[in-house]
């Protein structure tokens, strides 16, 4: 509440300003008030994307020049490995096997797991010979009953794998063994899971909203997350078109190479040095 030295604050996104309906009652208000007060005191603000920079400026009336963008990066252990070995590790640790479509993220309205489950059902209806499972990796939250209800409604309980939270010991293998990574989020200040999947060389399909087009920059197939059919079509294109599959694998690795934690650290330190 009070700090005698100049403050540098990192703001990841302002989803609580733009979509308060995504948050539990009172949480969005608390975030709005505490963030506004902190930003009023801050000498510099750090965020992770140009998208977030513009939205912070818009909502809090801050000069964009006072907001510095320091993009995130994937940790070094997110890299391509032998896919058969990766699948073996996944089977040993998480107790499932077979080809699968992967999504990673805590269960939350803005992560759009419900839309993905609907798209997966339409995918199997359109291509009944596809053997794939849908794997949802992420911590269950207060939103879990809604997701579980949608799984029951889909009638695909046996084709949907729920891993719960997955730590970094097995997560790179989970990415590597997937045929395609899907990130259908309605709102991201950056979208680190998409970058982690690309760093593992996996084809990515993701939402065309907020910071995600900026992060993937042409290295993923984009879809409108409000459209189940668009999402289904993007997933199907990757799974069925082998030439497209291989092309997107290469694009993923090329794009991921642009992000580096050392550079992120250098840029962040530069901001603190400037303020000091």
């Amino acid at each position: 509440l009070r700090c005698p030295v100049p403050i540098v604050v990192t703001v990841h996104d302002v989803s609580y300003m733009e979509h308060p309906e995504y948050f539990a009652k009172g949480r969005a208000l608390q975030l709005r008030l505490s963030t506004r007060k902190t930003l009023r005191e801050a000498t510099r603000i750090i965020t992770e994307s140009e998208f977030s920079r513009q939205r912070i400026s818009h909502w809090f009336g801050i000069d964009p020049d006072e907001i510095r963008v320091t993009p995130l990066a994937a940790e070094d252990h997110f890299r391509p490995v032998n896919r058969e070995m990766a699948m073996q590790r996944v089977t040993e640790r998480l107790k499932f096997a077979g080809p699968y479509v992967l999504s990673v993220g805590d269960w939350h309205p803005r992560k759009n797991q419900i839309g993905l489950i609907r798209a997966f059902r339409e995918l199997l209806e359109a291509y009944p010979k596809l053997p794939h499972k849908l794997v949802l990796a992420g911590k269950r939250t207060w939103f879990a009953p809604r997701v579980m209800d949608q799984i029951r409604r889909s009638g695909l309980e046996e084709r949907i794998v729920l891993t719960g939270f997955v730590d970094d010991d097995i997560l790179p293998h989970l990415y590597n063994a997937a045929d395609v990574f899907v990130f259908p989020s309605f709102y991201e200040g950056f979208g680190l899971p998409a970058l982690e999947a690309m760093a593992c060389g996996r084809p990515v399909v993701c939402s065309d909203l907020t910071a995600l087009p900026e992060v993937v920059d042409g290295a993923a197939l984009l879809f409108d997350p409000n459209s189940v059919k668009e999402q289904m079509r993007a997933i199907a294109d990757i799974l069925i078109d082998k030439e497209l599959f291989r092309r997107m694998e290469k694009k993923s690795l090329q794009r991921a190479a642009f992000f580096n934690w050392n550079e992120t650290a250098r840029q962040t330190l530069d901001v603190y040095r400037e303020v000091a």
Side-chain angles (χ1 to χ4, degrees):
L1 296 178
R2 288 184 174 84
C3 184
V5 299
I7 296 170
V8 177
V9 61
T10 296
V11 179
H12 300 287
D13 65 61
V14 289
S15 54
Y16 42 87
M17 304 293 292
E18 306 197 303
H19 295 283
E21 70 274 14
Y22 291 161
F23 293 82
K25 187 177 180 180
R27 176 62 171 158
L29 176 62
Q30 179 242 319
L31 285 166
R32 286 200 300 272
L33 295 177
S34 60
T35 303
R36 188 179 298 279
K37 181 176 186 349
T38 303
L39 294 184
R40 193 180 301 127
E41 303 294 330
T43 304
R44 286 288 184 274
I45 300 158
I46 294 173
T47 193
E48 296 153 4
S49 65
E50 182 61 30
F51 166 79
S52 287
R53 178 173 176 260
Q54 294 300 328
R55 301 318 293 161
I56 293 166
S57 175
H58 168 78
W59 281 105
F60 294 103
I62 295 169
D63 183 348
D65 289 340
E66 295 182 9
I67 307 171
R68 302 296 170 81
V69 176
T70 60
L72 303 182
E75 295 280 3
D76 290 343
H77 55 266
F78 291 103
R79 63 184 186 278
V81 300
N82 179 275
R83 296 193 64 211
E84 289 185 7
M85 183 193 74
M87 189 71 252
Q88 183 178 349
R89 287 289 305 278
V90 167
T91 300
E92 290 171 355
R93 283 285 300 276
L94 301 176
K95 310 304 180 187
F96 73 90
Y100 61 89
V101 172
L102 174 66
S103 189
V104 173
D106 291 349
W107 292 15
H108 193 277
R110 71 170 176 165
K111 298 297 185 181
N112 195 21
Q113 284 96 355
I114 287 177
L116 175 55
I117 293 164
R118 290 172 176 163
F120 185 66
R121 179 180 178 179
E122 289 206 6
L123 176 72
L124 296 185
E125 289 175 351
Y127 302 93
K129 292 185 179 180
L130 282 177
H132 293 73
K133 296 180 174 71
L134 172 62
V135 177
L136 301 178
K139 183 174 66 176
R140 298 192 188 195
T141 66
W142 60 271
F143 192 61
R146 291 278 305 277
V147 177
M148 294 303 298
D149 181 62
Q150 188 60 48
I151 292 172
R152 285 189 292 269
R153 288 171 179 268
S154 74
L156 297 174
E157 291 95 331
E158 294 183 359
R159 298 287 292 271
I160 298 177
V161 178
L162 310 175
T163 70
F165 174 78
V166 176
D167 63 35
D168 278 3
D169 179 44
I170 191 63
L171 185 56
H173 297 282
L174 191 62
Y175 281 125
N176 270 279
D179 278 356
V180 60
F181 178 77
V182 188
F183 205 48
S185 183
F186 290 120
Y187 194 103
E188 293 293 328
F190 186 81
L192 187 58
L195 182 56
E196 291 173 344
M198 289 194 294
C200 292
R202 304 325 304 135
V204 171
V205 299
C206 69
S207 163
D208 63 1
L209 298 181
T210 61
L212 287 170
E214 174 186 344
V215 171
V216 301
D217 192 29
L221 297 188
L222 302 179
F223 58 81
D224 177 359
N226 294 290
S227 171
V228 170
K229 288 195 178 297
E230 273 195 32
Q231 185 173 177
M232 183 274 284
R233 185 72 259 167
I235 298 169
D237 286 347
I238 293 289
L239 294 179
I240 293 167
D241 187 336
K242 298 305 179 185
E243 182 179 342
L244 177 63
F245 180 93
R246 288 189 291 270
R247 187 161 69 247
M248 298 311 293
E249 282 183 314
K250 292 179 182 178
K251 284 188 173 184
S252 286
L253 288 172
Q254 290 168 352
R255 179 58 181 163
F258 280 92
F259 297 88
N260 182 283
W261 270 128
N262 288 331
E263 181 62 17
T264 299
R266 186 194 64 77
Q267 292 177 15
T268 304
L269 187 57
D270 284 347
V271 175
Y272 278 85
R273 284 174 170 156
E274 178 184 320
V275 170

